[in-house]
Amino acid sequence: MPIDWISTLKNIPEIVSGLGTLIKNNRATKDALLRELRLNIKAFKTAQKTNKINFDKLLDLLQNESIQSARKSRFTFNTIKAGKIEKEDIKDERNLRYQGKDCDWLFKNIDEKIEDLRIQKKYHGSINTVENTNISLQFSNLFYKLKLLAEYIN
């Protein structure tokens, strides 16, 4: 009698199968996000090798498709690393303002910054020639957020 309710659950195989897919998808999403993070940091390294950084080309190298896909599927970024960023996690003094933030905030903020830079490029044609906007500082801030995220996850 106490387990009679179990016979009413006819879709147990589908539920179990769905959980397996969810686990695989979450692992795949995490892998894609971490891969994208590594590639974005490497894009800055590539740009650094020249005497003068071409911000248009650097922006073309930056990717945020995995973040956007994860956001659309309501992925919880904090599953990559739970908790808040503590002072001990911060290696660069300029990132102290991000103390108390978490993976979710960092991933979303990075995504929005890349999109903001793309909008500026689309509007102006080239972000290399934009006046009255410190594009160099915007890219620098983006790099340090990427670096903070990588250091925090590790």
Side-chain angles (χ1 to χ4, degrees):
M1 285 283 190
I3 59 169
D4 286 342
W5 57 269
I6 204 158
S7 63
T8 63
L9 297 175
K10 297 175 183 166
N11 59 349
I12 289 177
E14 291 86 20
I15 293 171
V16 172
S17 166
L19 287 174
T21 304
L22 183 63
I23 291 167
K24 287 178 188 172
N25 285 346
N26 278 345
R27 189 173 305 139
T29 301
K30 286 180 190 178
D31 288 347
L33 289 166
L34 295 176
R35 179 181 181 274
E36 192 170 84
L37 177 60
R38 279 191 304 272
L39 290 174
N40 284 340
I41 291 171
K42 287 181 180 182
F44 277 93
K45 186 177 179 181
T46 299
Q48 179 193 22
K49 292 178 182 177
T50 61
N51 291 338
K52 186 175 183 208
I53 294 177
N54 182 327
F55 293 114
D56 288 331
K57 287 183 178 181
L58 176 56
L59 183 57
D60 291 341
L61 294 175
L62 295 176
Q63 302 173 19
N64 64 333
E65 292 80 16
S66 294
I67 299 173
Q68 289 179 343
S69 175
R71 289 180 82 170
K72 285 178 187 168
S73 69
R74 298 177 192 247
F75 178 77
T76 306
F77 293 97
N78 288 337
T79 59
I80 294 175
K81 176 143 185 188
K84 305 271 185 206
I85 297 171
E86 302 294 332
K87 190 172 184 175
E88 309 78 65
D89 300 318
I90 300 171
K91 307 237 186 316
D92 299 295
E93 192 173 307
R94 68 185 285 171
N95 282 337
L96 286 173
R97 62 185 164 188
Y98 304 123
Q99 184 177 345
K101 303 293 185 189
D102 57 13
C103 270
D104 185 66
W105 185 88
L106 272 171
F107 271 108
K108 289 177 179 177
N109 191 275
I110 288 167
D111 174 47
E112 289 164 6
K113 189 61 203 172
I114 292 172
E115 284 304 308
D116 176 49
L117 289 165
R118 286 192 178 132
I119 289 168
Q120 289 182 59
K121 180 180 176 188
K122 189 180 281 187
Y123 182 81
H124 295 287
S126 171
I127 52 178
N128 288 316
T129 59
V130 177
E131 294 180 15
N132 301 327
T133 305
N134 194 341
I135 293 296
S136 178
L137 180 62
Q138 291 181 44
F139 274 95
S140 174
N141 288 340
L142 176 59
F143 172 74
Y144 276 94
K145 284 178 193 169
L146 291 166
K147 186 174 179 287
L148 172 63
L149 181 58
E151 290 169 348
Y152 177 63
I153 292 170
N154 287 329

